[in-house]
Amino acid sequence: MSIRKPLALLLVAGAIAATSVAIAANAPAGGGAAGEAGLPANADLTRIEGVAELEGADIVRGKRMYGQQGGNCISCHGWDGNGLGKNPRSEGNAALLRESGLDAAGFIEIIGCGIPGSPMPYHDSQAYKDDRCYGMTKADFEAGGEPHKGKAIKKNDIVNLVAYIMTSIQAKPAATYEDCVAWFEGTADKNCAGMKP
C-alpha cells in the first residue's frame, strides 16, 4: 500500500469525527413551518440556510431517498438515524447520524465515495473509476479490499438526501413517538406501538 492510501484513509476518518461548522440554507421565502410545505414536521431549515452545496435541495425527495426508494439508508442507519438498522453488513452499528458532526460537503463526499475499509458503500456510479474519491481508484486497493458498491444515486439526489439528513435527523434529540408516526405515516400503528408514551 502506498503512503497516499493510508493518508487518504486518515483524512476520511478525520472527516467522520469532525465537528460541524455553523451550517444553516434553502428555506422557502418567509421561512414558514416545515409541515406547511409538505416537509417533515421536525425539519429545521435553519440548519441548511446559506449552504451553497444544498441550494435548491428537495427535502421531501431526500426523505424518500433516505427510505427504500433511493439509497435505502434506513437499512443500516435506521429510520431515525440511530445506527441500528437491520442490514447484516452494518451489524446494527452504522454511524449515528443524529450525532454526526459532518457538514454538507462531508456528507456528500461520504455518500458518494463511501468509506473504504468499512461497511459504508459508495453511491456515485463513477466512484473509484477516476480519483474523485479521496484521490484513489480501484487499482489502489488490494483484491477483496475495494470499497463496497451501493445503489447508484444521482448527484442531485445525494444533495436532496443530505438536505433531509441535516434538517430532520442530524443534531436532533432521540426520536420520539411523534417522530415515528411522522416517519411511518400510514403504518405508524404497527411500527411505532413500542414507542407510545
Side-chain angles (χ1 to χ4, degrees):
M1 185 181 263
S2 71
I3 293 175
R4 185 174 87 170
K5 291 179 204 171
L7 178 58
L9 294 177
L10 283 173
L11 292 173
V12 172
I16 294 167
T19 53
S20 96
V21 295
I23 31 185
N26 195 24
E36 294 172 14
L39 298 175
N42 69 343
D44 178 2
L45 300 179
T46 64
R47 293 202 34 81
I48 61 169
E49 289 173 359
V51 178
E53 295 95 337
L54 302 181
E55 189 167 323
D58 181 341
I59 296 169
V60 174
R61 182 160 172 79
K63 179 181 178 185
R64 289 194 304 265
M65 297 305 296
Y66 186 84
Q68 294 175 344
Q69 178 180 349
N72 197 19
C73 307
I74 62 171
S75 75
C76 291
H77 296 284
W79 68 269
D80 61 348
N82 68 358
L84 298 177
K86 301 198 182 326
N87 188 315
R89 183 178 65 221
S90 74
E91 302 171 7
N93 196 23
L96 305 174
L97 299 178
R98 288 180 177 268
E99 298 175 10
S100 174
L102 289 174
D103 62 5
F107 274 122
I108 289 168
E109 182 173 49
I110 287 176
I111 292 168
C113 297
I115 303 174
S118 84
M120 177 64 193
Y122 63 90
H123 296 281
D124 179 337
S125 64
Q126 299 304 305
Y128 304 103
K129 292 181 180 177
D130 58 24
D131 66 354
R132 73 182 65 199
C133 290
Y134 317 120
M136 303 172 80
T137 66
K138 285 188 181 181
D140 292 320
F141 297 93
E142 294 178 11
E146 301 90 355
H148 299 284
K149 180 179 181 184
K151 183 176 180 181
I153 302 176
K154 294 178 183 174
K155 175 77 171 165
N156 62 326
D157 278 329
I158 289 177
V159 168
N160 295 333
L161 174 57
V162 170
Y164 169 72
I165 292 169
M166 290 182 67
T167 61
S168 304
I169 296 177
Q170 186 182 37
K172 298 285 184 180
T176 64
Y177 174 73
E178 290 75 21
D179 293 331
C180 186
V181 168
W183 173 264
F184 287 103
E185 298 171 356
T187 62
D189 287 342
K190 172 184 154 190
N191 291 298
C192 305
M195 293 184 75
K196 277 189 178 179

